[in-house]
Amino acid sequence: MRETPLTTAKTVVIVGGVAGGMSTATRLRRLDADAKIIVLERSGHVSFANCGLPYFVGGLIEEEDSLTLQTPEQLFDRFRLDVRVHDEVVAIDRTGHNVTTRSTVTGEQTVVSYDKLVLSMGAAPVRPPIPGYERVRTLRTVEDAARLASDVDVAPATAVVIGAGFIGLEITENLVRKGIAVTIVEATPQVLPPLAPELAILVEEELVAHGVRVETGASVSSVGERSVSLADGRIFPADLVVGAIGVRPEVRLAELAGLELGPSGGIAVNDANQTKDPDVYAVGDAVEKADAISHATSLIALANIANRQGRRVADHIAGRPSHPVASLGTAIVKVFDIVAATVGWNARRLADAGRPFRAIHSHPFDHATYYPGATRMAAKLIFDPHDGTILGAQIVGRNGVDKRIDVIAAAMSGGLTADRLADLELSYAPPFSSAKDPVNVLGYMAGNILNGDCDVVAPEDVDTLVEEGWTLVDVRTEEEHATGAIPGSINVPIDALRDHLDTLGKAPVVVYCAVGQRGHTATALLHELGFKARNLDGGYLTWSASLRASARRAAGPSS
Ligand code: FAD
């Protein structure tokens, strides 16, 4: 067994050489020219782009080398980092301040001493004990991607992707790009479980439009040679099977070393990302983070957080002040020609936690409609009904989704309330936005609710109000009404409303239009005229998406 001796300079050993680990290493070098920085990585690559792996499988990223942002040699040349690949850390001796590594090539063991140890071991794909699961490919490392890419090169006709989360959908798109007929099997009742059902249905429709078979509410019972069997007895052909059902934090080493885990099973750390041992830090997917909404700890596996935490640890080791940042869980995914993004919590999670909230929907265009190419988004904003704290947002659309979710994430980080989104001065020219950006519009809508100017009805409450005797009025044009309307509604176009008040009778009124905007104007007019009126949140578009989502759930798998 070789020994790496301690020198007089501080020795910082980092386990895991990708997002969190490499951020720590390079930041630390910029802060401390003398520190001896050793990065130990068990795979054959460091500093690789795990987020790009699905696109390598699909051939959009053509060269495997493009996935590797830096090689050990480049990292030595620029940063004087001692980067050792194929070196797995198998034990941590906290008392002796050293780790034992084992070469994954030769099996040789080495003891490496440290003054400070940083654990950034990431997370491993969950592999459930389902018969035949050993045939299932997962995607985490460059080696995984290379294996999957060579499977794809032999031109399989069919594939089953297990799991319709962010990575499952990215893999699906890339397999379809390769001409493979893909079935997605997802245990929950919808694709992209973090999204609201009325937004997730838009993603499912995009998948189906691209020929993907989507089986939600279905679970895999076994994986065969060329097929996948479901618990309900159905069997799908599968020359290739890819699993993307989530990850579990890599904590075994930390547990063996007597470090504490948090309630969600990740490594427990303080605000400076120190474990209970002040000389051992942990960052990235392996650790529990403070959640910005609940302030409790939870597991959130995202590259931005890993990078940020790595930088913070470097600052702390170098004696710089660092401040904790709670995690919002801001995430985005491209699914063929649409984009889905989320930040904060969804309504389901808030309801489960018993947290009061209001939700509003809008369907703004990504840019001025008079400029060619404008497309609609579906946006949902969730906020505290008392103080306006933004609790979450989700957006699905073709263009401009990334910008809007990021503005909302920035507003949440800065502590802006939902109504204050209206005040944001955002860039505008016709190809990019409207003078009232979609985020401003969400702010106006939230403000109207918070200050009591407008009372909206959630799509799921319409039937109850109609049963209670409310009149349902569609204020869209006759042509729009003819293309599809909420059953039982009467059509009084907004421009004719003043002249047809008698048709409304004396009952209170629920007003709707396509997206809620004309409905808002009509509701205000009716209030002025002495009617009791409420506007349907998100209009016909949200109502019909909710209906399709409910119908899809009710139909279950194989619909
Ligand atoms: P990792 O980057 O996984 O690095 C951990 C490293 O530690 C690994 O290379 C591993 O080999 C090594 N290691 C583990 N144990 C040992 C040991 N005992 N000894 C030595 N080395 C060890 N996030 C986003 O925000 N956006 C995205 O679009 C996105 N897309 C993704 C797509 C895919 C296919 C995958 C797999 C992940 C994606 N992520 C995305 C998540 C993101 O990659 C992770 O959140 C991030 O990489 C976590 O950084 P980390 O340093 O904690 O772990």
Side-chain angles (χ1 to χ4, degrees):
M1 188 183 290
R2 285 190 292 117
E3 286 231 9
T4 303
L6 264 185
T7 62
T8 47
K10 185 191 293 174
T11 300
V12 178
V13 170
I14 298 168
V15 187
V18 192
M22 211 42 87
S23 295
T24 312
T26 51
R27 170 74 174 165
L28 186 59
R29 171 57 73 230
R30 285 190 285 267
L31 299 176
D32 184 341
D34 299 326
K36 188 170 165 52
I37 304 171
I38 303 170
V39 179
L40 302 169
E41 166 59 49
R42 76 173 163 207
S43 76
H45 301 83
V46 286
S47 199
F48 62 84
N50 14 23
C51 309
L53 300 179
Y55 301 98
F56 173 66
V57 173
L60 195 69
I61 298 172
E62 292 177 5
E63 301 297 329
E64 190 182 310
D65 284 354
S66 315
L67 294 169
T68 313
L69 308 176
Q70 304 268 9
T71 62
E73 295 73 27
Q74 289 166 334
L75 288 161
F76 178 79
D77 289 346
R78 185 166 303 171
F79 296 101
R80 288 294 183 269
L81 300 178
D82 177 355
V83 176
R84 306 177 191 179
V85 291
H86 299 299
D87 229 0
E88 178 173 19
V89 175
V90 290
I92 301 169
D93 174 0
R94 293 198 288 121
T95 316
H97 271 67
N98 63 54
V99 299
T100 303
T101 73
R102 187 183 59 82
S103 164
T104 58
V105 180
T106 64
E108 185 190 359
Q109 296 211 335
T110 308
V111 173
V112 184
S113 298
Y114 68 82
D115 294 306
K116 301 286 180 192
L117 179 66
V118 182
L119 305 177
S120 187
M121 298 156 312
V126 170
R127 296 189 70 90
I130 290 174
Y133 210 86
E134 58 281 357
R135 216 196 117 214
V136 175
R137 294 278 192 229
T138 53
L139 202 51
R140 185 78 199 182
T141 61
V142 176
E143 287 85 350
D144 293 339
R147 266 191 296 272
L148 189 52
S150 59
D151 290 347
V152 166
D153 279 347
V154 302
T158 55
V160 167
V161 174
I162 308 172
F166 288 75
I167 295 176
L169 295 193
E170 287 181 346
I171 293 169
T172 296
E173 176 181 337
N174 281 288
L175 294 180
V176 171
R177 189 197 301 279
K178 286 290 191 178
I180 302 169
V182 181
T183 300
I184 301 183
V185 180
E186 163 62 43
T188 73
Q190 65 174 61
V191 301
L192 285 184
L195 288 193
E198 67 275 17
L199 271 74
I201 190 74
L202 308 177
V203 178
E204 177 170 339
E205 288 166 352
E206 180 75 3
L207 288 161
V208 171
H210 283 83
V212 178
R213 180 176 186 130
V214 180
E215 294 292 337
T216 49
S219 53
V220 171
S221 59
S222 67
V223 177
E225 280 295 301
R226 298 196 97 77
S227 65
V228 167
S229 303
L230 302 192
D232 60 18
R234 288 176 304 146
I235 299 175
F236 292 105
D239 298 326
L240 184 64
V241 188
V242 186
I245 57 171
V247 292
R248 56 164 179 72
E250 286 270 16
V251 295
R252 203 178 58 84
L253 257 187
E255 266 185 306
L256 288 174
L259 298 171
E260 272 171 18
L261 302 187
S264 310
I267 302 171
V269 291
N270 65 13
D271 282 350
N273 278 85
Q274 280 166 307
T275 63
K276 73 169 190 182
D277 179 339
D279 289 335
V280 182
Y281 295 79
V283 300
D285 289 359
V287 310
E288 301 217 345
K289 290 109 192 156
D291 182 287
I293 307 301
S294 66
H295 305 294
T297 61
S298 66
L299 290 171
I300 305 175
L302 289 170
N304 171 295
I305 302 174
N307 279 281
R308 189 166 13 105
Q309 291 189 331
R311 198 179 153 91
R312 187 194 308 156
V313 163
D315 285 357
H316 200 263
I317 292 173
R320 296 231 171 172
S322 69
H323 60 279
V325 180
S327 297
L328 291 166
T330 315
I332 189 162
V333 64
K334 171 184 171 303
V335 185
F336 296 104
D337 297 328
I338 65 169
V339 178
T342 171
V343 60
W345 283 25
N346 63 25
R348 195 181 322 117
R349 192 168 170 198
L350 290 163
D352 288 348
R355 174 118 190 217
F357 66 91
R358 282 301 294 261
I360 51 173
H361 295 79
S362 74
H363 297 270
F365 284 93
D366 66 296
H367 65 254
T369 48
Y370 57 80
Y371 186 89
T375 54
R376 269 197 199 281
M377 293 179 247
K380 180 171 189 175
L381 180 73
I382 308 175
F383 52 93
D384 186 293
H386 307 297
D387 63 13
T389 300
I390 304 173
L391 300 172
Q394 296 153 35
I395 308 178
V396 174
R398 287 181 192 269
N399 301 305
V401 171
D402 50 347
K403 160 166 147 172
R404 276 53 185 231
I405 208 77
D406 284 346
V407 170
I408 296 171
M412 290 172 79
S413 293
L416 290 189
T417 50
D419 52 324
R420 293 291 310 283
L421 293 176
D423 300 334
L424 294 174
E425 188 179 311
L426 302 172
S427 62
Y428 159 61
F432 305 105
S433 183
S434 300
K436 271 187 242 161
D437 187 87
V439 174
N440 296 140
V441 173
L442 286 169
Y444 287 122
M445 291 168 67
N448 285 336
I449 289 173
L450 287 166
N451 64 27
D453 281 349
C454 178
D455 189 8
V456 293
V457 174
E460 60 273 20
D461 294 337
V462 169
D463 287 350
T464 311
L465 289 176
V466 169
E467 276 165 27
E468 288 171 1
W470 290 59
T471 304
L472 187 55
V473 181
D474 179 357
V475 296
R476 297 175 299 165
T477 63
E478 287 172 19
E479 293 75 30
E480 287 174 283
H481 185 74
T483 60
I486 304 179
S489 59
I490 57 169
N491 182 214
V492 186
I494 184 164
D495 295 337
L497 195 57
R498 282 183 183 80
D499 302 326
H500 292 85
L501 293 172
D502 50 327
T503 57
L504 302 184
K506 297 255 178 284
V509 180
V510 174
V511 174
Y512 76 93
C513 64
V515 298
Q517 205 173 359
R518 281 171 288 175
H520 175 57
T521 303
T523 308
L525 172 67
L526 290 172
H527 279 162
E528 289 299 315
L529 296 170
F531 282 83
K532 182 172 177 182
R534 295 173 72 185
N535 185 25
L536 175 62
D537 173 43
Y540 184 71
L541 281 188
T542 299
W543 180 88
S544 54
S546 302
L547 188 74
R548 297 200 303 281
S550 306
R552 181 68 183 83
R553 274 167 187 250
S558 82
S559 61

